[in-house]
């Protein structure tokens, strides 16, 4: 019974945090609010705008393909976060539950997920270029670096399993 389980795994908790970050802060409502009400010249405004980086939107006038390609970056951030959380061994090899390695594994997974999601999403643009892919990967890694600590904290609270 998955919903009744009182323990959560570190990869599951980190993936849930990534999903919440993308759903809430990547929403069109938050992205519009951040663009209109914050200044990119202040640290707080810059960070609030950065939270909206993997934005998504749903427009019923668009075809299903346009919706999927347009939102691919946000989808890939969540999927790749789950993948990297399972692949990074720090949280699974930690000797004690809640060690700092779980925190850094979650944070690193989000940095990698942001960079690779942007890199892969660039391939589906109408006119992709190598420079554009590198710039996009840099912005994705920057997003992961400054917001990935949230996923790291969620992973820190996750349960590794039995000894």
């Amino acid at each position: 019974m998955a919903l009744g389980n009182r323990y959560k795994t570190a990869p599951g908790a980190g993936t849930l945090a990534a999903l919440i970050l993308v759903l809430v802060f990547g929403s069109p409502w938050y992205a519009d609010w951040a663009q209109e009400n914050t200044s990119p010249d202040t640290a707080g405004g810059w960070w609030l705008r950065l939270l909206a980086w993997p934005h998504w939107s749903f427009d019923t006038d668009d075809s299903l393909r346009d919706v999927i390609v347009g939102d691919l970056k946000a989808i890939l951030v969540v999927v790749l976060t789950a993948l990297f959380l399972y692949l990074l061994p720090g949280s699974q090899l930690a000797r004690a539950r809640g060690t700092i390695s779980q925190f850094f594994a979650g944070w690193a997974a989000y940095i990698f997920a942001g960079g690779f999601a942007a890199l892969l999403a660039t391939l589906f643009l109408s006119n992709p270029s190598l420079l554009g892919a590198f710039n996009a990967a840099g912005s994705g890694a920057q997003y992961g670096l400054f917001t990935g600590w949230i996923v790291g904290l969620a992973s820190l609270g996750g349960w590794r399993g039995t000894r």
Side-chain angles (χ1 to χ4, degrees):
M1 179 180 212
L3 294 177
N5 193 352
R6 56 179 238 199
Y7 297 111
K8 59 187 181 294
T9 63
T15 303
L16 181 63
L19 179 65
I20 291 170
L21 278 170
V22 170
L23 283 178
V24 172
F25 295 108
S27 69
W29 306 283
Y30 177 80
D32 291 343
W33 175 86
Q35 198 68 18
E36 294 170 3
N37 297 312
T38 61
S39 170
D41 299 328
T42 63
W46 176 85
W47 191 73
L48 289 172
R49 287 172 179 232
L50 182 68
L51 280 172
W53 176 78
H55 56 274
W56 54 270
S57 64
F58 184 76
D59 189 1
T60 56
D61 296 334
D62 292 340
S63 68
L64 181 61
R65 181 187 178 277
D66 292 339
V67 170
I68 297 278
V69 170
D71 300 341
L72 185 62
K73 187 170 38 174
I75 295 166
L76 283 175
V77 166
V78 176
V79 170
L80 290 174
T81 298
L83 176 70
F84 287 128
L85 281 170
Y86 279 108
L87 293 178
L88 286 171
S91 61
Q92 288 80 20
L93 296 178
R95 288 177 99 27
R97 178 179 172 262
T99 61
I100 197 74
S101 68
Q102 284 180 303
F103 173 73
F104 283 120
W107 196 349
Y110 209 55
I111 294 170
F112 292 145
F116 280 112
L119 186 69
L120 293 173
T122 303
L123 298 176
F124 294 99
L125 294 176
S126 60
N127 191 11
S129 69
L130 188 59
L131 179 62
F134 288 164
N135 283 333
S139 66
Q142 179 182 24
Y143 167 76
L145 179 66
F146 288 103
T147 60
W149 60 268
I150 299 168
V151 174
L153 285 176
S155 296
L156 181 65
W159 183 65
R160 286 186 303 105
T162 61
R163 290 184 184 160

